[in-house]
């Protein structure tokens, strides 16, 4: 599957009328930084969508739904329409965070039934370093009509995971860095550890040393020990950095891939949920 497009691909098509370029830059802990970066300089014609204001719902007091709950479908549809994304648009999302924020928009659009959405390889800094054009001018927004066809099969709910712990037909993939997965450190959430039975595949291992996405064969190598017939559920801390792993798994040819959107921060909001620490072995192929 082709979910990633190159800098040169976008350069050649950036002014085509059905292309909508979305700047998704966002810095955790600095909620205004992404928009400020966008206002200073962005790919010409790009619109801005904010991780927390546009691509997430407000955090619940009890923590249910996690640190970045999925946005309300109606609210998200309105936000997409407002920036000019319609059902016929080809959407290219970029960030400067290894593709994590752009992948969140990619996943949400796929979840709403929109197929023509891509993540820009390498990101904004690479675009600048290539000498490609930038602008501080903000595009005049012309709303578009966006009708959602929600793909519920892309989503895994907490209750199902709770019920299927230990189920050999389901593989949980934790996308966080290994020390967080093992429960040795936890800089963001109240409890350290991982969901029992989950294996660890750090999402940034899907990128090369230069920050480019690895090709399909290399992504397949990352997941070579996994059974393609098993259901896969991917999670991270709050449902954002799991989405690059969803893309990587699709690029590698896996078809039974779902996202646990609330992720670890949702899981630990239920006191009865068990917690594991240390490493876990990958499930052997059937």
């Amino acid at each position: 599957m082709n979910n990633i497009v190159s800098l040169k691909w976008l350069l050649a098509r950036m002014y085509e009328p059905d292309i909508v370029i979305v700047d998704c830059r966002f810095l955790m802990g600095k909620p205004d930084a992404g928009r400020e970066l966008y206002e200073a300089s962005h790919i010409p014609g790009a619109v801005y969508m904010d991780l927390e204001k546009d691509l997430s719902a407000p955090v619940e007091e009890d923590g249910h739904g996690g640190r970045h709950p999925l946005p309300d479908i109606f609210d998200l549809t309105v936000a997409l329409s407002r920036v000019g994304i319609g059902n016929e648009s080809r959407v290219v999302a970029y960030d400067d965070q290894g593709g994590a924020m752009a992948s969140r928009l990619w996943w949400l659009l796929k979840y709403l039934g929109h197929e023509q959405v891509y993540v820009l390889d390498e990101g904004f800094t690479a675009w600048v370093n290539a000498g490609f054009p930038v602008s501080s001018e903000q595009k005049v927004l012309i709303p578009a009509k966006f009708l959602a066809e929600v793909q519920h099969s892309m989503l895994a709910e907490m209750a199902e995971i709770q019920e299927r712990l230990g189920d050999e037909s389901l593989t949980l993939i934790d996308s966080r860095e290994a020390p967080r997965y093992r429960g040795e450190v936890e800089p963001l959430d109240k409890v350290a550890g991982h969901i029992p039975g989950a294996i660890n595949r750090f999402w940034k291992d899907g990128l090369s040393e230069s920050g480019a996405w690895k090709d399909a064969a290399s992504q397949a190598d990352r997941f070579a020990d996994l059974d393609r017939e098993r259901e896969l559920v991917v999670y991270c801390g709050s449902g954002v950095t799991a989405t690059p792993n969803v893309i990587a798994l699709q690029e590698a040819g896996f078809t039974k891939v779902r996202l646990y959107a609330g992720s670890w921060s949702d899981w630990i909001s239920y006191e009865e949920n068990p917690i594991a620490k240390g490493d876990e072995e990958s499930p052997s192929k059937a």
Side-chain angles (χ1 to χ4, degrees):
M1 298 184 70
N2 182 25
N3 298 300
I4 310 299
V5 295
S6 70
L7 300 174
K8 288 183 178 179
W9 186 97
L10 181 58
L11 182 69
R13 295 166 177 81
M14 58 190 294
Y15 296 113
E16 293 179 5
D18 64 330
I19 292 279
V20 180
I21 305 168
V22 185
D23 188 318
C24 298
R25 284 177 288 175
F26 187 89
L27 300 179
M28 296 292 187
K30 297 180 180 179
D32 298 322
R35 176 166 283 281
E36 289 168 359
L37 288 167
Y38 164 78
E39 289 174 352
S41 181
H42 52 259
I43 295 176
V47 298
Y48 184 73
M49 296 195 80
D50 186 281
L51 172 67
E52 295 185 343
K53 294 173 183 173
D54 300 314
L55 308 182
S56 306
V59 176
E60 300 286 342
E61 285 188 18
D62 57 12
H64 295 343
R67 285 184 280 108
H68 292 108
L70 283 188
D72 175 81
I73 297 296
F74 176 78
D75 291 343
L76 178 57
T77 300
V78 168
L80 294 168
S81 299
R82 186 185 69 242
V83 299
I85 297 175
N87 292 92
E88 303 306 315
S89 301
R90 283 183 294 165
V91 181
V92 180
Y94 73 87
D95 59 34
D96 235 354
Q97 284 73 41
M101 311 304 162
S103 296
R104 168 75 164 205
L105 176 59
W106 173 91
W107 188 91
L108 287 170
L109 279 165
K110 292 282 188 178
Y111 180 58
L112 298 187
H114 190 80
E115 284 301 316
Q116 295 194 92
V117 55
Y118 311 93
V119 172
L120 181 65
D121 199 9
E122 300 179 89
F124 184 70
T125 295
W127 176 275
V128 174
N129 290 342
F132 295 163
V134 296
S135 174
S136 60
E137 291 183 17
Q138 294 190 37
K139 183 179 181 179
V140 175
L141 299 181
I142 302 173
K145 188 174 184 179
F146 188 93
L147 298 175
E149 293 184 17
V150 180
Q151 308 296 303
H152 295 288
S153 61
M154 290 177 58
L155 193 62
E157 301 288 353
M158 190 282 295
E160 181 195 353
I161 294 170
Q162 195 179 47
E163 187 177 315
R164 295 182 66 185
L165 287 179
D167 184 340
E168 292 186 357
S169 67
L170 178 70
T171 298
L172 289 168
I173 299 176
D174 188 312
S175 305
R176 299 171 299 166
E177 287 186 85
R180 288 183 69 195
Y181 161 79
R182 292 193 295 263
E184 297 165 0
V185 297
E186 184 44 69
L188 297 172
D189 293 307
K190 295 177 181 178
V191 180
H194 61 263
I195 300 173
I199 62 171
N200 185 216
R201 293 290 187 279
F202 183 35
W203 72 274
K204 279 193 175 178
D205 289 342
L207 305 176
S208 69
E209 288 184 10
S210 68
W213 286 72
K214 292 179 179 177
D215 62 21
S218 298
Q219 300 290 10
D221 287 344
R222 291 177 61 211
F223 305 110
D225 57 332
L226 301 184
D227 187 341
R228 291 175 180 270
E229 297 306 310
R230 280 198 177 100
E231 295 176 70
L232 304 177
V233 172
V234 187
Y235 76 91
C236 57
S238 70
V240 177
T241 59
T243 55
N245 260 349
V246 174
I247 292 179
L249 284 158
Q250 286 198 7
E251 293 285 313
F254 288 83
T255 57
K256 299 178 180 180
V257 184
R258 290 186 288 159
L259 174 71
Y260 173 21
S263 287
W264 179 247
S265 51
D266 174 62
W267 182 260
I268 61 172
S269 72
Y270 297 88
E271 291 185 1
E272 69 272 21
N273 281 346
I275 290 164
K277 293 188 177 183
D279 285 315
E280 307 223 19
E281 290 184 13
S282 298
S284 58
K285 291 185 178 181

